[in-house]
Amino acid sequence: MLELKSVDYIEERPPGGTYRSEDYRRLVPAGSVPAIKINGAILHDSDAIAELLEDLFPEPKMRPDDPLERAFLKSVTRFHDTRLEPAVRTLFPFVGNAEKKQSAALLVDAMNRHLERLDCLIDPNPYLGGETLSLADCAYATTLFMMEDIASCMHLEVMFSKKINHWRNALHHTDVVREIIDQNRIAIGDWVNSRLSPA
Ligand SMILES: N[C@@H](CCC(=O)N[C@@H](CS)C(=O)NCC(=O)O)C(=O)O
């Protein structure tokens, strides 16, 4: 969103190198990444950060005025934050753990069931809110690629419907979004490799 809204920012790693460090907890009491320091305040959670950025930097507009449309897109973002992304995170401990492939397969199945529900929920054209990107699209952009990269390194398949694939391609064909997705994929690839062949 910072890139899409052409906001200047500096990206930093958590002090101490990890969100688990005491220094990071002192700075960000919730202890999660991402967090942002803005106008002297610290805020965690992507969704809260995205809403604030939309309020402070309204151009380009990424949240509709119509109450029902706005609430619908919020519900789609919440589906990401409370269902799909947590399902992806359950796979992380299995990367580089070949003997646990059966358990990982069950978790990928669960992830695929969430994708089926998402397919019924949304009707992107080409984005979730229509012709322009919305906050809800931002929630999904990297996750829709990360889940495939993580599953495929365990030789497991993510089942994207035609509708979701079409939307995923539209996101990847959007310049700023593609750059962020591709950077994220490189970082995920490095992490996967470090798990597959630890130094
Ligand atoms: N939906 C949250 C998820 C953030 C999240 O869980 N981040 C992970 C690292 S990628 C984390 O900080 N985990 C540590 C924790 O939550 O205590 C967001 O986007 O801010």
Side-chain angles (χ1 to χ4, degrees), residues 19 25 30-34 44-47 80-81 85 89 92:
Y19 55 74
R25 292 274 162 92
S32 61
V33 290
H44 77 280
D45 192 278
S46 311
D47 190 31
H80 172 274
D81 290 356
E85 203 213 27
R89 282 174 193 277
F92 292 174

Side-chain angles (χ1 to χ4, degrees), residues 58-105:
E59 294 297 328
K61 190 175 176 60
M62 298 180 71
R63 188 179 52 195
D65 292 328
D66 178 77
L68 198 53
E69 274 177 49
R70 186 185 277 223
F72 170 70
L73 288 175
K74 183 80 183 174
S75 76
V76 178
T77 299
R78 290 196 54 73
F79 188 84
H80 172 274
D81 290 356
T82 66
R83 301 291 195 282
L84 191 65
E85 203 213 27
V88 179
R89 282 174 193 277
T90 62
L91 289 173
F92 292 174
F94 294 92
V95 175
N97 223 334
E99 68 278 10
K100 297 227 170 109
K101 189 174 169 192
Q102 295 283 16
S103 319

Side-chain angles (χ1 to χ4, degrees), residues 31-197:
S32 61
V33 290
I36 193 168
K37 185 172 184 187
I38 187 162
N39 296 350
I42 296 272
L43 187 68
H44 77 280
D45 192 278
S46 311
D47 190 31
I49 294 169
E51 296 273 358
L52 178 69
L53 294 177
E54 181 66 14
D55 288 335
L56 295 179
F57 309 101
E59 294 297 328
K61 190 175 176 60
M62 298 180 71
R63 188 179 52 195
D65 292 328
D66 178 77
L68 198 53
E69 274 177 49
R70 186 185 277 223
F72 170 70
L73 288 175
K74 183 80 183 174
S75 76
V76 178
T77 299
R78 290 196 54 73
F79 188 84
H80 172 274
D81 290 356
T82 66
R83 301 291 195 282
L84 191 65
E85 203 213 27
V88 179
R89 282 174 193 277
T90 62
L91 289 173
F92 292 174
F94 294 92
V95 175
N97 223 334
E99 68 278 10
K100 297 227 170 109
K101 189 174 169 192
Q102 295 283 16
S103 319
L106 290 175
L107 296 174
V108 170
D109 263 358
M111 205 169 74
N112 283 330
R113 298 292 86 74
H114 286 307
L115 280 174
E116 283 171 8
R117 290 161 66 187
L118 180 65
D119 179 78
C120 297
L121 177 65
I122 61 171
D123 196 11
N125 184 27
Y127 305 116
L128 293 172
E131 287 177 7
T132 56
L133 281 167
S134 70
L135 304 193
D137 292 283
C138 290
Y140 284 91
T142 51
T143 304
L144 290 173
F145 289 85
M146 174 171 72
M147 58 201 298
E148 190 175 34
D149 291 342
I150 299 271
S152 69
C153 80
M154 295 181 279
H155 310 288
L156 295 167
E157 195 183 354
V158 180
M159 311 291 277
F160 292 117
S161 65
K162 212 170 152 188
K163 195 199 277 184
I164 292 182
N165 227 351
H166 203 259
W167 166 46
R168 213 167 79 105
N169 287 337
L171 289 169
H172 201 250
H173 280 103
T174 309
D175 287 344
V176 172
V177 182
R178 180 176 50 249
E179 276 169 40
I180 302 291
I181 291 171
D182 290 350
Q183 280 169 21
N184 185 260
R185 294 189 78 180
I186 291 170
I188 291 291
D190 289 347
W191 177 76
V192 165
N193 288 336
S194 75
R195 301 271 298 205
L196 295 181
S197 33

